Amino acid sequence: AIRLMDVSNAVIESSLLNSTAVGIYLSDCDNVTIYDVEVRDCTSWAIECYQSQDVAVVDSSISGYNGVYGQVGSRLGVLGCDIEDTVNGVSLKDIDNSTVSGNSILGCDYGVKLDTADTCDVSGNTVSGCSYGLYIVYVFNSGIDENAVSYIDHVGISIYDGSYNNTVSSNSVANCSDTGIIMDYLIRDCVVWNNTILNNTSPGLAGGLYLWG
């Protein structure tokens, strides 16, 4: 529907995008704000960023197949959005200095997924009714703070595969059908503190917090 390539200093606002392949696609862009946009029922990603810097997705509503995807050197913020009933709510891969904050993410397969990320902030999100809440793989120098994660089919907050130097603090993780917070496989130099973990169940592991280096 909207495709920007090598564009700087642009604003996309107050738009409805419906039943297309990719709602908004950015490639090699810089300083783009996507504000008050509704994207629904796309067959791929609602918003996809490739090698784009300083992109802000703000106060927007997303539903359908997939949510927001940032990849390969992109730097973006997903702020104050409502994301519902997608496979991936927010998925960031091979990125740095990005923020996912203040979003409501409901009924997704993966609420927030970070894969190979440096210096990111995942904070103040409400993630509920998803298969997985916050799913973090090979992430470093980042904060996972003050999120409310509940009614997850599997693990509430998962941190895996060589992640290091991260802080997991002041999160609420409740009523998940597996472990509340799990940190597993070559995890080092991480701090876990001041989290509230309640009423989680697990078929084989501790229902609250599971740490394995």
Side-chain angles (χ1 to χ4, degrees):
I2 297 175
R3 185 180 183 91
L4 302 183
M5 302 186 71
D6 198 22
V7 172
S8 297
N9 305 315
V11 177
I12 302 168
E13 65 177 326
S14 303
S15 302
L16 170 62
L17 305 170
N18 187 30
S19 299
T20 184
V22 177
I24 300 172
Y25 179 81
L26 309 180
S27 177
D28 297 295
C29 295
D30 177 67
N31 194 27
V32 176
T33 298
I34 300 167
Y35 173 73
D36 187 30
V37 168
E38 182 176 355
V39 187
R40 61 191 187 199
D41 299 326
C42 294
T43 58
S44 183
W45 293 94
I47 299 171
E48 181 175 356
C49 300
Y50 177 79
Q51 291 185 338
S52 295
Q53 305 291 310
D54 300 323
V55 175
V57 183
V58 184
D59 293 341
S60 294
S61 177
I62 295 168
S63 62
Y65 184 66
N66 264 316
V68 180
Y69 185 32
Q71 58 166 323
V72 190
S74 292
R75 181 176 301 160
L76 69 157
V78 183
L79 312 169
C81 295
D82 294 321
I83 302 173
E84 296 188 19
D85 300 325
T86 63
V87 175
N88 293 283
V90 178
S91 181
L92 306 180
K93 182 176 175 61
D94 296 320
I95 53 91
D96 62 28
N97 292 285
S98 293
T99 300
V100 181
S101 184
N103 303 287
S104 173
I105 303 173
L106 308 176
C108 302
D109 285 1
Y110 290 86
V112 178
K113 182 191 291 184
L114 267 62
D115 183 353
T116 314
D118 182 14
T119 317
C120 291
D121 171 35
V122 179
S123 64
N125 301 287
T126 298
V127 181
S128 186
C130 300
S131 295
Y132 294 88
L134 310 181
Y135 194 86
I136 313 296
V137 177
Y138 195 53
V139 172
F140 33 96
N141 306 316
S142 297
I144 299 93
D145 308 308
E146 298 182 352
N147 300 284
V149 180
S150 64
Y151 296 101
I152 303 301
D153 291 341
H154 299 286
V155 178
I157 300 176
S158 310
I159 301 176
Y160 292 122
D161 292 355
S163 295
Y164 65 88
N165 198 33
N166 301 302
T167 300
V168 181
S169 70
S170 302
N171 300 285
S172 171
V173 186
N175 300 303
C176 300
S177 298
D178 205 316
T179 306
I181 299 175
I182 185 168
M183 304 178 75
D184 192 12
Y185 192 67
L186 300 177
I187 305 298
R188 59 185 173 87
D189 299 326
C190 291
V191 176
V192 181
W193 69 283
N194 198 39
N195 298 283
T196 301
I197 307 172
L198 296 172
N199 300 326
N200 303 291
T201 60
S202 173
L205 303 175
L209 173 65
Y210 178 83
L211 306 177
W212 187 265

